[in-house]
Amino acid sequence: DWDCPDVGAPLAPGEQRVCTAKFDIVRPIFESGSVYNLATAYAYSAFGAPLATSAYNLLTFEPQAGLALTKTADRSSVRGVDDPITYTLTVQNTGGETINAVRVIDPMLTEVSCDVASGRLAPGATMICTGVGYADQYQVDAGVVPNTAMAVGERASGNVFDPSDDIIASASTELSAEAAPAAELRVTASPGEVRRGEVVRFTLELTNTGNLTLQEFDWTFSRPVSSVVCDTDLPRLPGQGLVCWVDYVATAADEAAGSALLEVSLTSQTARPGVEFGPMSALGIVPVVAPDIDDSGDDHGTPAPADPSDPPRPAEPQQVGHQDRPGKLPRTGGLGVRLASCQ
């Protein structure tokens, strides 16, 4: 589209004529970074000799390349490491040139699928990607699930092997993690029954059924027991267990009651600052039986060790000058005393 007045009219010495033209720069030329323009003027002299002259112009472009990334999650909080989080990431070309090999990098997502397989985005175009991620136990214990993703692309004139000229955008999200500590405690006794003075071992089986790591266990017992011994002193992650043992010596009071009942209470710190678990409690019980006594007045088996809480046992009467007589039962003064003491 030329605008050149008086085309073909004579041009006197020193006189000039200005002509203008418009040229539309299409995107491939723009993205190439420059445009070269050569113009030539033709004329004839007064004597009819042809004349020509040329001039050129080189125009360079510096288009602004840019990407924008937005990121959203389908939930605002998680309870544990098994809760899936679906992220949607939208990449837009906000610059003036096409960007190639656009991709999304998110360390929390094992797989990302995008609706533009080629990764080529013209100015103003968008690409939508989705992926599923999971919080780790450290994030759940901390109560916060942060995540940052990046969109990376290459300029048309860039070098794919040179990361310094990459076009980069980033976006972050932050979810909360609930605090729901919980546990199950089971107390069992071995052997299945004891006599006074004998040792019973109580086994404490703890399972972390909550979503926070449990640590720093504090045990209390309703009866005097030995020191607690456990199979590990490491914190217990959700789903993990802890096994501990204590020993207890059955007393005469237990024998009189027929059993020894142990109440176990537990409190624990969690890995989340300021959140404590417990107290929780469980019961363990073991029958405490009296020694068997035969017709001669003797205990079966080995006598149980003396219990300091037992009252003194009265001396058995001595049978002086006793003779068994046919048809008569023997005197049983000693056995009678023992039977009285068991009632």
Side-chain angles (χ1 to χ4, degrees):
D1 185 9
W2 281 91
D3 181 12
C4 194
D6 301 327
V7 175
L11 190 64
E15 187 181 357
Q16 66 178 14
R17 185 171 296 156
V18 178
C19 300
T20 59
K22 293 181 180 179
F23 176 73
D24 293 330
I25 300 176
V26 295
R27 184 161 300 282
I29 296 177
F30 181 79
E31 292 181 355
S32 70
S34 65
V35 59
Y36 176 80
N37 183 32
L38 175 66
T40 303
Y42 298 94
Y44 293 92
S45 70
F47 303 101
L51 301 173
T53 185
S54 299
Y56 72 90
N57 176 265
L58 178 63
L59 180 64
T60 59
F61 311 111
E62 294 184 2
Q64 296 296 316
L67 291 175
L69 176 64
T70 58
K71 182 177 183 180
T72 59
D74 67 338
R75 61 197 309 159
S76 60
S77 65
V78 297
R79 189 181 187 277
V81 297
D82 295 327
D83 291 343
I85 309 167
T86 299
Y87 289 100
T88 300
L89 305 103
T90 303
V91 187
Q92 183 178 23
N93 183 348
T94 58
E97 63 174 297
T98 298
I99 300 180
N100 300 316
V102 178
R103 57 213 181 266
V104 170
I105 301 173
D106 191 326
M108 194 170 179
L109 308 182
T110 56
E111 184 176 351
V112 178
S113 59
C114 301
D115 62 355
V116 180
S118 66
R120 181 181 175 86
L121 292 183
T126 60
M127 180 175 73
I128 299 176
C129 304
T130 58
V132 177
Y134 296 86
D136 60 35
Q137 189 58 47
Y138 177 82
Q139 294 170 333
V140 175
D141 285 339
V144 179
V145 186
N147 180 240
T148 298
M150 291 194 307
V152 182
E154 304 288 342
R155 303 181 67 163
S157 59
N159 183 350
V160 295
F161 301 105
D162 183 7
S164 65
D165 64 0
D166 289 349
I167 308 301
I168 300 175
S170 64
S172 299
T173 59
E174 187 173 281
L175 281 65
S176 62
E178 303 173 14
E184 292 179 355
L185 178 60
R186 180 171 175 260
V187 181
T188 57
S190 178
E193 66 176 27
V194 294
R195 295 188 175 107
R196 57 186 168 89
E198 293 181 341
V199 174
V200 55
R201 171 156 292 181
F202 287 97
T203 301
L204 322 173
E205 298 176 87
L206 179 73
T207 302
N208 184 349
T209 58
N211 71 330
L212 300 181
T213 300
L214 299 180
Q215 56 193 12
E216 300 179 21
F217 302 98
D218 184 16
W219 302 92
T220 58
F221 303 92
S222 61
R223 293 174 178 270
V225 296
S226 64
S227 298
V228 181
V229 177
C230 298
D231 62 351
T232 180
D233 57 359
L234 297 175
R236 298 289 83 192
L237 302 176
Q240 290 185 334
L242 176 70
V243 180
C244 302
W245 301 270
V246 293
D247 290 337
Y248 171 72
V249 179
T251 66
D254 299 327
E255 180 183 278
S259 64
L261 182 67
L262 179 68
E263 181 178 5
V264 181
S265 296
L266 169 68
T267 58
S268 170
Q269 298 297 324
T270 71
R272 183 173 300 185
V275 177
E276 184 180 87
F277 171 67
M280 68 174 304
S281 62
L283 299 176
I285 188 170
V286 60
V288 180
V289 299
D292 294 335
I293 302 175
D294 61 18
D295 290 341
S296 66
D298 293 330
D299 294 349
H300 284 304
T302 304
D307 187 332
S309 65
D310 288 349
R313 177 179 295 182
E316 296 181 359
Q318 299 294 322
Q319 299 183 21
V320 181
H322 166 68
Q323 293 181 352
D324 292 341
R325 291 173 292 170
K328 298 294 183 178
L329 293 175
R331 296 175 60 186
T332 57
L335 181 58
V337 171
R338 291 190 179 184
L339 288 176
S341 67
C342 294
Q343 293 178 351

